[in-house]
Amino acid sequence: MAELGHEVIGIDVDAAKIESLTRGEPTFFEPGLPEILRSAIATGRLTFSTRMSDVAGASVHFLAVGTPQQRGSYAADLTYVDAAVEGLIPFLADGDLVVGKSTVPVGTAERLAGLVTAGSGAQLAWNPEFLREGFAVKDTISPDRLVYGLPPGDAGVRAKAQLDEVYATALAKDTPLVTTDYATAELVKVSANAFLATKISFINAMAEIAEVTGADVTQLADAIGFDGRIGRRFLGAGVGFGGGCLPKDIRAFTARAEELGRGESVAFLKEVDKINLRRRDRVVNLVVDALGGEPYEKRVAVLGLAFKPFSDDIRDSPALDVAVRLHGLGAAVTATDPEAAANARRVHPQLTIADSLGDALRDAEVVVLVTEWPEFRGLQPADVEPFTAGRTIIDGRNSLDPVVWRAAGWTYVGLGRP
Ligand code: UDX
C-alpha cells in the first residue's frame, strides 16, 4: 500500500515482529519483500507500531490477521479477528472504512459490521485476499481481480469510493472488479481455494488410478489441460497440497456448511482432503518399499521442507510431514530446504536438517524430492551420485525426467507415472 503511494501504519501485537519490520527486515521469506519494504520505509510513508491508538488519523483500516484451524475442530478460529476489531473500534472516526482481508466463515462480515457501526461512525467492507506465497508482492501490486463485499445503500456507495481510491493504480490497469454483498465476498474466497484444492485432488485421484493401470498422470494432465475449459495449471500430481490456506480453508468451509444445515453441499471436500492426505502416505510407503520394508536406521535424504517452493512456510507442509513420518519409522532422515530449514528446526528439533544439499545426500540409500525448488528440479544424476550410497529417487513432485535418471542407472519412482 505504501508502494502504491498511500501513507501506511502497520499494527501487530507481536513487539518482536514490529521491531524487525521497523528495521526493514521481513519476519518471513518472500521474494521481493525485503526490497519493497526498505524502499517504502525510506519514503517515510510506512511505519509500524504495537499501539492500536496509533491508527487514529487513518481513514481505511485493513484487518489482515490469521484465521487458523481451531484446536479440536475443523472450524476457523476467529479469536484474532474479533480481538482486532474490538481493539480498533475505540479509535475509529466517523466516515472511516474497516476492510476485512482475513479468510472468514460466511456470515462473519455481517456480524462484524454490526459491531463496527454500533461502536463508531465507521463502515465495513469485505475485500478477500488472493495472493499466493512466493508471488505475494506481484499479486498485491497487480492483483488478477478485486472483490469488494459492500454494505447496502449509501454506505456501500461511500465504501466503494474509498476502496476505489485505495486501489486506483490497479483499477487504472483495468483489473477486473466484482462488487457484491458481504456473504458473496466471503464465499468467493473460500470457494476459490476449495476449487483449487479440488483440482489438485482430482489429478491426484487420477494418479492413484494411473498407479494401478500403468498410465502416466503427467501426460494425462497435459492432454486434458489443453482443453481451455480445464486448463493445465493446478494439475500437478504429487505429494499434494499444504500450507496455511488450502487445507484449513476446505475444513472451515465444511464446518460452516454443516452449521448452516448444508453439509451435503460440500461433503465432497472431505474426499478432497482424504485424497490429499493419502498422497503423503503413498510417498512414505514408496520410501519404505524402496528400503525393502525395513526403514530402521536406513539413510534417507529428504529434499524440501516448505509446503511449496519460494516460501519458508512449513504450515501443514506435505514435505515436512513426510520427513517427520520417516523419522518416526526409525529411518535416519536428513532433510534440507533452501529457506525453510530454520522454521523446521524450531518446530521439529528431533529432525536432522542439513544446510547443504551435499550434506543431506551423504550416504543416502534413498532420495525423496518433496518440494520442487528450482535447485532440486534441476538436479542431474551426476550432481547426486558423489554423495549417495544408493541409486533410488522418489520424485514426490513429478519434477524430474525419468528417462535421464533411468539412463544413469537409477531406480526412478514418480507419483502416478510408470
Ligand atoms: C493459496 C491460493 O492459491 C491463494 O490464491 C490464496 O490467497 C492463498 O492460498 P498458497 O497457499 O500460497 O495460495 O499456495 P498455492 O500456490 O495455492 O499452493 C498450495 C499447495 O498446493 C502447495 O502445497 C502446492 O505445492 C500444492 N500444489 C499446487 C500441488 O500439489 N499441485 C499443483 O498443481 C499446484
Side-chain angles (χ1 to χ4, degrees):
M1 287 296 153
E3 176 77 13
L4 294 173
H6 302 297
E7 200 180 317
V8 181
I9 178 154
I11 309 282
D12 200 287
V13 294
D14 185 333
K17 272 187 190 159
I18 292 300
E19 273 167 33
S20 174
L21 290 169
T22 303
R23 287 195 305 270
E25 293 164 15
T27 54
F28 52 84
F29 173 79
E30 181 62 42
L33 187 58
E35 295 78 4
I36 204 174
L37 176 63
R38 276 173 223 136
S39 78
I41 291 172
T43 64
R45 289 198 299 269
L46 178 61
T47 54
F48 297 94
S49 170
T50 52
R51 284 189 308 270
M52 192 67 101
S53 55
D54 288 345
V55 307
S59 50
V60 178
H61 308 264
F62 281 99
L63 291 173
V65 293
T67 51
Q69 187 178 327
Q70 264 179 36
R71 253 173 223 286
S73 149
Y74 273 5
D77 179 353
L78 295 178
T79 320
Y80 308 110
V81 173
D82 289 338
V85 171
E86 261 169 50
L88 182 60
I89 286 173
F91 305 104
L92 292 174
D94 213 17
D96 281 6
L97 184 66
V98 178
V99 185
K101 277 268 169 210
S102 309
T103 303
V104 291
V106 57
T108 306
E110 187 77 49
R111 176 174 66 79
L112 295 178
L115 295 175
V116 166
T117 47
S120 70
Q123 295 294 337
L124 179 105
W126 214 260
N127 172 221
E129 180 52 61
F130 305 106
L131 70 79
R132 297 160 298 166
E133 291 185 26
F135 301 91
V137 172
K138 181 195 154 288
D139 286 352
T140 305
I141 305 281
S142 313
D144 56 8
R145 80 284 212 191
L146 289 165
V147 177
Y148 301 170
L150 300 171
D154 286 349
V157 174
R158 277 200 309 277
K160 178 177 182 302
Q162 283 164 297
L163 284 169
D164 283 350
E165 211 182 314
V166 167
Y167 290 118
T169 309
L171 292 171
K173 286 188 265 179
D174 288 332
T175 305
L177 167 64
V178 183
T179 58
T180 74
D181 51 29
Y182 291 144
T184 308
E186 292 167 311
L187 278 172
V188 165
K189 173 62 198 248
V190 280
S191 59
N193 278 353
F195 192 89
L196 293 172
T198 304
K199 206 172 174 191
I200 299 167
S201 277
F202 176 85
I203 202 64
N204 281 330
M206 295 308 106
E208 291 184 334
I209 303 295
E211 277 156 13
V212 293
T213 53
D216 184 333
V217 76
T218 61
Q219 291 181 331
L220 182 151
D222 290 344
I224 64 172
F226 283 122
D227 184 332
R229 294 169 300 175
I230 296 174
R232 181 64 173 84
R233 295 174 73 191
F234 273 66
L235 288 181
V239 69
F241 60 80
C245 295
L246 264 46
K248 67 106 179 158
D249 284 354
I250 59 170
R251 292 176 182 176
F253 196 9
T254 316
R256 183 65 183 135
E258 282 167 3
E259 278 171 16
L260 294 167
R262 277 278 162 219
E264 76 245 342
S265 305
V266 292
F268 69 93
L269 290 177
K270 292 189 178 179
E271 286 305 320
V272 166
D273 200 0
K274 284 188 211 164
I275 294 165
N276 190 52
L277 295 175
R278 280 207 297 272
R279 300 322 280 164
R280 303 177 183 190
D281 301 341
R282 171 77 182 161
V283 172
V284 170
N285 291 340
L286 286 172
V287 176
V288 172
D289 288 351
L291 295 169
E294 282 294 335
Y296 195 75
E297 288 187 336
K298 301 273 176 63
R299 297 266 310 115
V300 177
V302 174
L303 308 187
L305 290 162
F307 83 105
K308 69 175 198 179
F310 307 107
S311 171
D312 66 355
D313 197 341
I314 54 163
R315 286 177 295 172
D316 208 343
S317 167
L320 179 62
D321 199 14
V322 165
V324 168
R325 284 158 69 174
L326 288 169
H327 173 85
L329 292 172
V333 173
T334 306
T336 190
D337 189 286
E339 293 295 338
N343 283 342
R345 275 192 196 107
R346 196 163 27 78
V347 180
H348 289 286
Q350 82 281 17
L351 281 183
T352 304
I353 297 173
D355 287 323
S356 77
L357 181 62
D359 286 343
L361 293 170
R362 190 156 291 118
D363 300 330
E365 289 187 38
V366 173
V367 180
V368 198
L369 193 167
V370 265
T371 312
E372 70 279 33
W373 284 95
E375 45 269 71
F376 302 153
R377 298 183 73 102
L379 281 176
Q380 298 293 323
D383 303 326
V384 175
E385 282 161 6
F387 302 100
T388 57
R391 290 274 188 279
T392 301
I393 188 150
I394 316 284
D395 183 2
R397 293 289 181 180
N398 288 341
S399 51
L400 302 171
D401 185 347
V403 176
V404 170
W405 287 78
R406 287 182 183 138
W410 281 70
T411 302
Y412 170 94
V413 187
L415 266 74
R417 69 201 304 202

